[in-house]
Amino acid sequence: DGVSFELGPGDVVWLQGPSGVGKSTIAAEVAGLGARRGALEKSLGVSVAVDWAAGVPVAERCGAMFQQTTLVDALSVEGNVRCALAAAAEPGGDALSEAKRLVEAGGLDWARDRRKMPQELSGGMARRAALALQLAQRKRVVVLDEPFTGLDEASARAVAGELRALRERHGAALLLVSHQPSLVALVDAAPTRVVLTPPARLSLI
C-alpha cells in the first residue's frame, strides 16, 4: 500500500526495519542517488516518488550523509568546507570566517582540526566534518544512512547532538535510517516513524 509523508523545516522521519529490507536503497532513491530508474521497483517491488515544493531550488534540495563520508581525500577539513561554501555560491561575506564557524558548529576544533586530511580523522571526527559540509551546502533535506554505526558511545551521542542542532538551528529536515533508537531520540524525541517489514512492506506510525 502507498505511504506518504511530508518533510518540513526541522522535521525528522525515521526509516526502520530489519537488515536487508531495503532501507538504504530507499533512502538513496529519496536522495536522488538510486542506481537507475525502475531498479528499486524491480528488486523490492517498491516505487519512490519525491515531490518538492514549488520554489525550492534544485541546488538547495537534498544532501546525504552515509557511514562512509563524502569528504574529498585530497582536501583538508578546511578545504572541504570552503569548497562546499564556494559551491553554495552566496555572494559576499568572509569565506574563511564562515568556514571556521561551520567547522566549529559541526563539533570540531578549528585550530586543531582545520588542516587535518580525511585519513587523519577518527570516525566521529569524520562524521562531524561531514556535518559541517551539510551546513555549508545549506540543503533543505539531509538523508542519513546509519550515521552512528561504528562510533563509540561518546562520539555517537556527540554526532546525534550535532544533528539535533542541524535541524533546530538551521531548519534542515532529516530522513534518518538507524537501528539505534536511543540515539535517534537525541536527534528528535518524537520523529515520524516509517517501518519496513519483509517483503518490503511499509507502514507509517
Side-chain angles (χ1 to χ4, degrees), residues 5-201:
F5 56 83
E6 293 185 2
L7 278 168
D11 288 347
V12 177
V13 167
W14 179 19
L15 197 58
Q16 295 177 269
S19 297
V21 79
K23 300 183 302 299
S24 295
T25 306
I26 290 172
E29 194 78 9
V30 171
L33 302 173
R36 63 184 185 277
R37 186 176 297 276
L40 183 61
E41 188 165 9
K42 183 176 180 180
S43 62
L44 295 177
V46 173
S47 61
V48 175
V50 180
D51 183 20
W52 289 93
V56 178
V58 173
E60 296 179 14
R61 287 182 177 177
C62 197
M65 194 173 110
F66 303 110
Q67 294 179 53
Q68 299 78 25
T69 68
T70 53
L71 299 171
V72 178
D73 289 339
L75 296 176
S76 65
V77 169
E78 177 188 344
N80 269 277
V81 174
R82 292 187 70 164
C83 186
L85 283 170
E90 283 200 1
D94 182 343
L96 182 62
S97 295
E98 182 66 358
K100 178 179 184 293
R101 185 184 72 80
L102 293 175
V103 166
E104 292 177 344
L108 295 175
D109 183 278
W110 175 254
R112 185 186 64 226
D113 301 324
R114 61 183 285 196
R115 293 187 177 88
K116 289 182 178 177
M117 305 300 285
Q119 57 269 27
E120 298 178 282
L121 302 175
S122 68
M125 292 172 70
R127 306 282 172 88
R128 292 175 190 147
L131 281 175
L133 287 186
Q134 294 304 324
L135 293 172
Q137 293 176 56
R138 298 176 176 85
K139 301 298 186 182
R140 305 290 186 92
V141 174
V142 182
V143 175
L144 303 123
D145 186 8
E146 298 290 359
F148 314 117
T149 297
L151 299 181
D152 60 66
E153 181 68 17
S155 294
R157 291 177 68 88
V159 168
E162 298 302 334
L163 289 174
R164 187 179 189 96
L166 182 63
R167 49 178 289 265
E168 291 183 342
R169 298 178 196 167
H170 304 278
L174 308 179
L175 176 63
L176 176 60
V177 176
S178 179
H179 287 96
Q180 296 165 274
S182 63
L183 293 170
V184 173
L186 297 178
V187 179
D188 186 350
T192 298
R193 293 167 48 203
V194 176
V195 182
L196 283 75
T197 55
R201 295 182 62 84

